[in-house]
Amino acid sequence: MLKGKVLIAQGGGPTAVINQSLVGAILESRKFPGIEHVYGALHGVSGIINEDFLDLTKESTANLEAVAATPCSALGSTRDKPDVKYCQEISKVLKAHDIGTFFYIGGNDSSDAARIVAEHAEKSGHDLTCIHIPKTIDNDLMVNDHTPGFPSAAKFVASAFAGINQDNAALKGVYVGVVMGRHAGFLTAAAAGARLYDGDGPHLIYLPESTFNMANFVKDVKSVYDKYGRCIIAVSEGIHDAKGTPIITSLMKNIEKDAHGNIQLSGTGALADLLCDQIKAKSGITRVRGDTFGYLQRSFLGCVSDVDAIEAREVGEKAVQFAHFSGKKHGTVTIHRTGNYAVEYKLSPISDVAAKTKVMSKNMINKDGNNVTDAFMKYVTPLLGSGGLPTVSRLDRSNAVPKILAKKKK
Amino acid sequence: MLKGKVLIAQGGGPTAVINQSLVGAILESRKFPGIEHVYGALHGVSGIINEDFLDLTKESTANLEAVAATPCSALGSTRDKPDVKYCQEISKVLKAHDIGTFFYIGGNDSSDAARIVAEHAEKSGHDLTCIHIPKTIDNDLMVNDHTPGFPSAAKFVASAFAGINQDNAALKGVYVGVVMGRHAGFLTAAAAGARLYDGDGPHLIYLPESTFNMANFVKDVKSVYDKYGRCIIAVSEGIHDAKGTPIITSLMKNIEKDAHGNIQLSGTGALADLLCDQIKAKSGITRVRGDTFGYLQRSFLGCVSDVDAIEAREVGEKAVQFAHFSGKKHGTVTIHRTGNYAVEYKLSPISDVAAKTKVMSKNMINKDGNNVTDAFMKYVTPLLGSGGLPTVSRLDRSNAVPKILAKKKK
């Protein structure tokens, strides 16, 4: 049962709708009469040990709603991974401020942080309720059908490729777009949402779920190019060779890792440039362009799936309800698809999700490992939102004017 | 006076609203009773010499309106630059098809192509009316206050940096965003439209109008980082040293040029990576990320300034009206600002625009060459559209909770 003070924090990479979850948890908490204050910790768990708290009880509802519509973590984020000493500091601060409930909004690494904090509380006899609220554009949390943040990022990626498809049809050539995704290819696969007409790109999609082979890649590109005079390729930043070594690491001298041991894949255009160089060198195609979508994917202003915004709000609200009504001390809110399309929410054990990675199931990827299947399209389409993507239309090519000079030449 | 057949084509890089101009010219042409057919050439001037024409008279208004709302050249584009022989081929085809009026939608290079075609027609006694319709995201056409395509691309860049600003505030570090712009910095400068609160990024803006000095750049970045604990930088792809050599060329082995002699700047992440490496090596800052916005800037689905869409439509319509009413055989439609904010359109000599480049005026750039002035903000703000950018809101940082443990430590 909720009473006294609750604390909310946000961890890991921001998303377009993570503030919906924050605001959902704040407003829902304030509906329970036992709640005196709702605190927010700045920059995730690091804000707890530094006692950097905002009293969110003092926010107006109008401003909270405006914050909910703003992309990226309003409380700030962190990549810190708590160890035992870190947890002792957290306990100390939470006890000092008389905080009985902690909501942590984040992905795999943040859910693992929540697990560590919850387990330490259990062991040390600290009476703390700890609920993890899911978010990640990578869509790679176990148990969940999908995760808040993914649908909006998927809409961004599909919208980007829909535009790129028009651009590349106007000025033909090869285009490589590198999309975020370390182990799971969901976001890259969402590029397929851009296809509307026959021959539309992306024509090839490479995912971390499959082994990447450079020779096959160049062969695939050449084959599409020979057919359409152009080729659009979506590639996950996390593509790797048969040994599991990311293709990008073959390029980088100083490999940067975060506290969770993750190699830096984003924030560099190196992989797109490598792939373009290989295509130019080995296929003889001259106009080859590469873009790395980078941080725009998780933060771009004004690209939100309404389905995502609603669900992100709801996981925040449900976290508070589970904390009050479920009778359980800890857990993670999980999203389950029911029907086509609706969802329901459950409180699952944090350890079922923490530090684990869900990848695309085999039936979502084609045999050659260079495209997605109809099963994936069925999965992803309702997530892009009620309006789908903006319209893409083209001129009727059947209205060709008969050639006069070419006729005379015969 | 318009009669018989008119031909429309699109050249150069696509934009988000170039099809508004196309559809404006098609629909307006069809209002004049002397017009029998409106043809469209596929892939610019190259479609003329190949006789690749669509009869746009056969398009429904509903489909044309849907095409108008679709980004990128619906007729396809080209980088071809006509020489005398090319012009002779064009004349031959236009005469064979009895086409008396040619509308060419494009930027600097396309306006030069229109000039060459028009001058060749004059010299050879070919009775042809040739009107250039402006577009370019670079905003670098002389005479024009601004050019269709720029406002929507500016909205994209400002929206991207507004999101990046949130992202970078949540997970602090240095962020370099490379924006399109070979000689003119308008589009990069538009990143400043992202600023709302004190301390918001982009904190530094580097433009091709100023000489780029790597040592000063690193010093600037360090200075901002020391103040805010973070730093967001917008950089034009065309930044160059004191000799005018693009910074990016110091990196590339095989330099690719198009028919107009332009070096390839886009479609590679090399410049962002170079700048990030320099910052890491020389400032000691560890979290440094770079993105290259690439082709998304000119093609992204669903990011259009309504002011831009209207003006792009109008330059297409005005081109037809000028062809019919002005009594002049050739010209380029130019946009002139009047009041705050309205525009009027004129027919100017093509040679005033063709192959020339307008750059930012000195009063738009600060003395240090690392930021824009209020004069630029006044210039760009109305172009971003009636709704401005989507809302960005933040939590009230004055609601900090007093520290308890830190107090005890004292």
Side-chain angles (χ1 to χ4, degrees), chain A residues 93-372:
Chain A
V93 173
L94 296 182
K95 284 176 189 167
H97 285 269
D98 204 20
I99 293 164
T101 310
F102 173 44
F103 297 106
Y104 203 25
I105 309 168
N108 319 50
D109 293 333
S110 303
S111 64
D112 200 36
R115 179 190 62 79
I116 294 167
V117 170
E119 287 179 2
H120 181 266
E122 288 288 340
K123 276 181 205 159
S124 62
H126 176 189
D127 183 18
L128 178 72
T129 290
C130 182
I131 309 279
H132 168 250
I133 299 172
K135 77 84 213 164
T136 166
I137 63 164
D138 293 333
N139 200 37
D140 60 353
L141 295 191
M142 296 295 285
V143 187
N144 293 273
D145 175 75
H146 61 279
T147 50
F150 168 69
S152 295
K155 183 177 174 177
F156 179 90
V157 168
S159 297
F161 273 97
I164 289 299
N165 183 58
Q166 300 297 316
D167 196 304
N168 182 266
L171 284 170
K172 293 189 170 190
V174 171
Y175 179 89
V176 178
V178 173
V179 179
M180 279 184 174
R182 191 176 297 273
H183 301 296
F186 293 102
L187 191 55
T188 306
R195 296 174 191 153
L196 185 59
Y197 299 101
D198 284 347
D200 272 358
H203 308 95
L204 297 167
I205 299 176
Y206 297 90
L207 307 163
E209 282 81 356
S210 308
T211 295
F212 185 83
N213 176 292
M214 194 65 80
N216 291 346
F217 168 72
V218 175
K219 205 160 65 179
D220 289 348
V221 171
K222 212 173 163 329
S223 165
V224 171
Y225 188 83
D226 288 345
K227 185 172 178 189
Y228 296 114
R230 64 192 194 97
C231 181
I232 298 172
I233 309 133
V235 178
S236 282
E237 60 183 7
I239 53 165
H240 55 79
D241 63 19
K243 288 177 190 163
T245 310
I247 303 299
I248 196 174
T249 56
S250 63
L251 296 161
M252 301 179 75
K253 292 161 217 160
N254 303 312
I255 294 172
E256 189 182 325
K257 291 186 181 183
D258 70 10
H260 299 272
N262 301 319
I263 292 169
Q264 184 207 337
L265 295 179
S266 300
T268 164
L271 180 59
D273 287 353
L274 168 81
L275 296 174
C276 287
D277 287 346
Q278 290 285 318
I279 296 167
K280 281 184 199 171
K282 294 178 180 168
S283 75
I285 302 167
T286 50
R287 189 173 188 272
V288 182
R289 300 288 184 264
D291 280 337
T292 305
F293 289 5
Y295 291 91
L296 275 51
Q297 296 164 86
R298 70 186 194 192
S299 67
F300 191 77
L301 221 61
C303 188
V304 170
S305 152
D306 56 356
V307 166
D308 195 20
I310 291 167
E311 291 176 357
R313 175 67 71 109
E314 288 189 313
V315 290
E317 293 178 347
K318 292 303 288 185
V320 176
Q321 299 199 351
F322 285 136
H324 191 79
F325 295 117
S326 74
K328 288 175 187 162
K329 283 197 83 69
H330 312 301
T332 176
V333 180
T334 50
I335 303 185
H336 305 262
R337 189 182 301 220
T338 162
N340 183 30
Y341 168 86
V343 293
E344 58 185 24
Y345 305 96
K346 294 181 184 171
L347 188 69
S348 301
I350 305 184
S351 57
D352 287 359
V353 167
K356 290 177 178 166
T357 302
K358 189 176 87 170
V359 297
M360 291 173 69
S361 59
K362 280 189 178 167
N363 73 329
M364 293 181 171
I365 305 172
N366 73 343
K367 269 189 186 170
D368 291 340
N370 62 9
N371 224 318
V372 297

Side-chain angles (χ1 to χ4, degrees), chain B residues 42-54:
Chain B
L42 295 175
H43 296 287
V45 285
S46 76
I48 305 182
I49 58 171
N50 295 324
E51 288 186 271
D52 281 333
F53 296 147
L54 296 183

Side-chain angles (χ1 to χ4, degrees), chain B residues 25-276:
Chain B
I26 298 168
L27 293 177
E28 189 66 17
S29 292
R30 294 190 62 194
K31 290 178 186 161
F32 290 91
I35 295 296
E36 292 157 20
H37 286 280
V38 180
Y39 284 0
L42 295 175
H43 296 287
V45 285
S46 76
I48 305 182
I49 58 171
N50 295 324
E51 288 186 271
D52 281 333
F53 296 147
L54 296 183
D55 189 349
L56 303 173
T57 328
K58 295 179 179 170
E59 289 285 347
S60 68
T61 307
N63 190 52
L64 287 175
E65 290 296 349
V67 167
T70 300
C72 304
S73 318
L75 285 170
S77 190
T78 182
R79 295 283 186 195
D80 278 9
K81 181 189 173 79
D83 55 12
V84 173
K85 190 164 170 283
Y86 206 110
C87 285
Q88 288 168 344
E89 290 296 315
I90 288 176
S91 277
K92 214 182 287 178
V93 173
L94 296 182
K95 282 176 189 169
H97 284 269
D98 204 18
I99 293 165
T101 309
F102 173 44
F103 297 106
Y104 202 25
I105 309 168
N108 319 48
D109 293 332
S110 302
S111 62
D112 200 36
R115 179 190 62 79
I116 294 167
V117 170
E119 287 179 2
H120 181 268
E122 288 289 341
K123 276 181 204 158
S124 62
H126 176 191
D127 182 19
L128 178 72
T129 290
C130 181
I131 308 278
H132 168 251
I133 299 172
K135 76 83 212 168
T136 167
I137 64 165
D138 293 332
N139 200 38
D140 60 352
L141 295 190
M142 296 295 284
V143 188
N144 292 274
D145 176 75
H146 61 279
T147 51
F150 168 68
S152 295
K155 183 178 175 177
F156 179 90
V157 169
S159 297
F161 273 97
I164 290 298
N165 182 59
Q166 301 296 317
D167 195 306
N168 182 267
L171 283 171
K172 293 189 170 191
V174 172
Y175 179 89
V176 178
V178 173
V179 180
M180 279 184 174
R182 189 176 298 275
H183 302 295
F186 294 101
L187 190 56
T188 306
R195 297 175 191 152
L196 185 59
Y197 299 101
D198 284 348
D200 273 359
H203 307 95
L204 297 166
I205 299 176
Y206 297 90
L207 308 162
E209 282 81 356
S210 309
T211 296
F212 185 84
N213 177 292
M214 194 65 82
N216 289 346
F217 167 73
V218 175
K219 205 159 66 180
D220 290 348
V221 171
K222 212 172 163 329
S223 166
V224 172
Y225 188 83
D226 288 345
K227 186 173 177 187
Y228 296 113
R230 65 192 193 97
C231 181
I232 298 172
I233 308 134
V235 178
S236 282
E237 60 183 6
I239 52 164
H240 55 79
D241 63 18
K243 289 179 190 164
T245 309
I247 303 299
I248 197 175
T249 56
S250 65
L251 296 161
M252 302 177 74
K253 293 161 216 158
N254 304 311
I255 294 171
E256 190 182 326
K257 291 186 181 183
D258 70 10
H260 299 272
N262 301 320
I263 292 168
Q264 185 206 333
L265 296 179
S266 299
T268 164
L271 180 59
D273 287 353
L274 168 81
L275 297 174
C276 288

Side-chain angles (χ1 to χ4, degrees), chain B residues 319-337:
Chain B
V320 176
Q321 299 199 349
F322 286 135
H324 191 77
F325 294 117
S326 74
K328 288 176 186 160
K329 282 195 84 70
H330 312 302
T332 176
V333 180
T334 49
I335 303 184
H336 305 263
R337 189 181 301 219

